[in-house]
Amino acid sequence: MMIIKTTLSLALILATPLSFAAGDHAHHHEGHGNMSGHGAMASAVGMPAPVTQASQTYQVVLTDDMKMQFEPNLSIQQGDVVRFVITNQGQIPHEFSIGSLDEQAKHREMMRAMPDMEHHDGTTLTLAPGETAEMGWHFMGQNFVEFSCNIAGHSEAGMKRNTILK
């Protein structure tokens, strides 16, 4: 059974880049370097999933005092499919991004180089002031996960949350 799940996950990861190979979205991933399939909507810590498959929901509030608040407290296990309902309660744009430490560091570097970039690619959402959005995520892979706002200076000011999957 594990071989089937691994094979299916790998097939999805390999097939997804084809859907983004053309069009306006493809150009912004050039600066990502080796982000473990960021352009393929995949990460070393998992991949997007339909919110309808989620077994748990977390409310995430982003604020201009560079806070990222989760309700309830994070308690995620390997294999969980989670629905995040993210609200930007601030007056400036914020991001909600899921990835490994390395992926997030590379994403921050790219955002410093292209500060007006917006994301809606499965691993990251950019939210305008007052906006609420949903993201479904299947946690698999590395067990150390970083949630971050990678708009220049935000993560560095504390707008991130690290967790270890159980």
Side-chain angles (χ1 to χ4, degrees):
M1 187 61 148
M2 185 63 154
I3 293 172
I4 292 170
K5 285 183 179 178
T6 303
T7 303
L8 180 58
S9 297
L10 194 54
L12 287 170
I13 290 170
L14 294 174
T16 305
L18 298 176
S19 65
F20 287 98
D24 186 49
H25 189 80
H27 77 278
H28 101 180
H29 292 289
E30 294 169 4
H32 282 276
N34 181 16
M35 286 199 59
S36 300
H38 181 78
M41 293 177 45
S43 162
V45 300
M47 63 191 304
V51 295
T52 56
Q53 294 179 2
S55 59
Q56 54 188 311
T57 298
Y58 291 93
Q59 303 293 323
V60 183
V61 176
L62 310 175
T63 60
D64 290 348
D65 61 352
M66 302 302 138
K67 301 282 188 238
M68 183 177 285
Q69 302 162 338
F70 290 81
E71 182 66 35
N73 286 329
L74 290 174
S75 180
I76 302 170
Q77 297 182 26
Q78 280 288 359
D80 282 354
V81 176
V82 175
R83 173 180 169 241
F84 294 98
V85 179
I86 309 107
T87 301
N88 179 356
Q89 289 186 349
Q91 300 299 310
I92 59 175
H94 292 293
E95 274 191 356
F96 179 77
S97 181
I98 301 174
S100 69
L101 290 175
D102 184 53
E103 290 166 342
Q104 298 290 28
K106 289 177 180 169
H107 188 152
R108 280 190 283 281
E109 183 179 310
M110 179 201 60
M111 289 297 290
R112 279 191 295 275
M114 296 179 270
D116 295 326
M117 181 177 296
E118 292 188 8
H119 292 85
H120 300 279
D121 64 7
T123 62
T124 304
L125 294 173
T126 303
L127 290 93
E131 186 177 6
T132 296
E134 289 188 343
M135 178 189 289
W137 193 263
H138 185 180
F139 288 90
M140 56 184 170
Q142 294 179 14
N143 70 336
F144 193 89
V145 179
E146 182 171 281
F147 302 94
S148 184
C149 175
N150 291 312
I151 292 175
H154 292 206
S155 177
E156 296 83 349
M159 198 169 203
K160 65 182 173 182
R161 174 82 175 270
N162 295 333
T163 192
I164 299 173
L165 304 182
K166 297 176 178 176

